Amino acid sequence: MTEYSCIRTETQGRVATITLHRPEALNALNSTLVRELIGAALAFDADSGIGAIVITGSEKAFAAGADIKEMAELGYSDMYLGGPFPGWGGFERMRTPLIAAVSGFALGGGCELAMMCDIIIAADTAKFGQPEINLGILPGFGGSQRLPRAIGKYKAAEMVLTGRMMDAEEAERSGLVSRVVPAAELLAEAAQTAETIASKSLPAVYAAKEALQVAQETPLSEGLRFERQAFAAAFATEDQAEGMRAFAEKRPPEFTHR
Ligand code: CAA
């Protein structure tokens, strides 16, 4: 069992949960937290016994951004060489679906971490923002690219250029979150969603997640070509045969993830 100082991990059946835990700093993402988060997430990703991962924080903060105190003394070369936060590339290439369960502040790197996930479930207390502009910098974990893709150019520009926060209701209306739930139900709802995903065929889930990612990154024609191949490949799996047989026999499928 790996010992962590800034996160907590837990598994229940095929679902893993990673809880950011730096209560003294509203879960600000320092180098230790980021290293532990990425390490834990990649280890779960490599485990075919895990079918979905929930990432969450505390009631007050999912994460209030990159750790400003740690970054304050760094210069260009420090940041360009990877700074205190190398390794996001591997995190972004993970195949296991990630569900961000967001309560309280998701600011700067916290908002960007949520946007690296596949599904964002927000408590009605959630607040999203990219306040880097107030610090004389700009988003650095993908915010200037993912936010306009999620909510459109004009809302994203207002948030990135003014640092304004969005509450959960506005975030849902804007397409930034999948769903808003009462704060007291956040973890149960996220766990339920994760369990639902983890009960499906793992090869089909990996392929579906990859196809959704391709949709963010390529022109439609290329995405459709990818989907056609991935769809055909699904017919090489045992789970496809089982899923369709179970439908015909009017029973739940028993996927073996093969
Ligand atoms: N980095 C380091 N420490 C942080 C932090 C951060 N991002 N956010 C909060 N903290 C610390 C505070 O310094 C404070 O510590 P002390 O008690 O030792 O002073 C503690 O967490 C509690 O915070 P506050 O007292 O400020 O709590 P609040 O409820 O009054 O305000 C807040 C909450 C509005 C979120 C405020 O803390 C805040 O504005 N935080 C900074 C948000 C921010 O600018 N995030 C962007 C960071 S840059 C970034 O993320 C770059 C990137 O894209 C990768």
Side-chain angles (χ1 to χ4, degrees):
M1 183 90 174
T2 316
E3 285 291 321
Y4 297 111
S5 59
C6 298
I7 63 168
R8 305 278 182 266
T9 63
E10 178 189 341
T11 56
Q12 195 140 32
R14 293 179 53 75
V15 172
T17 301
I18 301 174
T19 305
L20 311 185
H21 187 70
R22 281 192 76 207
E24 72 285 3
L26 300 182
N27 293 332
L29 307 169
N30 67 1
S31 47
T32 305
L33 188 154
V34 171
R35 192 182 61 249
E36 291 182 355
L37 166 65
I38 294 174
L42 291 182
F44 286 134
D45 192 43
D47 179 352
S48 60
I50 297 296
I53 301 170
V54 175
I55 299 182
T56 193
S58 68
E59 211 177 309
K60 181 157 187 207
F62 178 70
D67 190 307
I68 300 166
K69 294 166 193 167
E70 191 180 50
M71 282 186 304
E73 302 304 323
L74 302 180
Y76 169 80
S77 301
D78 301 312
M79 297 312 280
Y80 191 61
L81 293 176
F85 318 115
W88 283 121
F91 186 86
E92 289 166 330
R93 284 192 297 277
M94 283 174 49
R95 299 195 294 172
T96 311
L98 298 169
I99 297 156
V102 176
S103 178
F105 296 110
L107 302 178
C111 184
E112 294 166 299
L113 171 61
M115 289 192 290
M116 286 181 217
C117 296
D118 302 287
I119 291 174
I120 304 178
I121 301 183
D124 48 14
T125 56
K127 283 194 167 52
F128 296 87
Q130 298 289 162
E132 291 90 341
I133 204 77
N134 298 327
L135 300 167
I137 58 169
L138 67 155
F141 295 170
S144 68
Q145 304 304 301
R146 290 200 174 92
L147 195 61
R149 282 167 171 79
I151 67 176
K153 172 186 163 184
Y154 299 100
K155 252 188 188 296
E158 193 203 348
M159 289 181 70
V160 169
L161 297 177
T162 69
R164 179 174 81 79
M165 288 187 217
M166 261 187 189
D167 64 17
E169 192 271 322
E170 183 181 3
E172 185 178 36
R173 183 157 33 89
S174 309
L176 179 56
V177 304
S178 317
R179 206 147 48 85
V180 178
V181 300
E185 291 163 28
L186 177 68
L187 291 180
E189 289 285 342
Q192 178 65 57
T193 304
E195 276 161 28
T196 301
I197 294 169
S199 73
K200 313 295 183 195
S201 160
L202 194 59
V205 166
Y206 279 179
K209 169 167 169 156
E210 196 176 355
L212 290 162
Q213 278 173 333
V214 167
Q216 296 289 303
E217 292 164 11
T218 62
L220 180 62
S221 54
E222 211 174 299
L224 291 173
R225 267 197 298 278
F226 177 89
E227 189 196 68
R228 198 170 307 135
Q229 285 300 329
F231 183 66
F235 285 74
T237 65
E238 293 170 20
D239 283 344
Q240 171 270 334
E242 164 61 11
M244 295 190 178
R245 203 166 42 233
F247 175 81
E249 293 170 3
K250 299 188 187 299
R251 61 171 174 83
E254 286 178 29
F255 292 127
T256 55
H257 312 293
R258 308 295 303 174

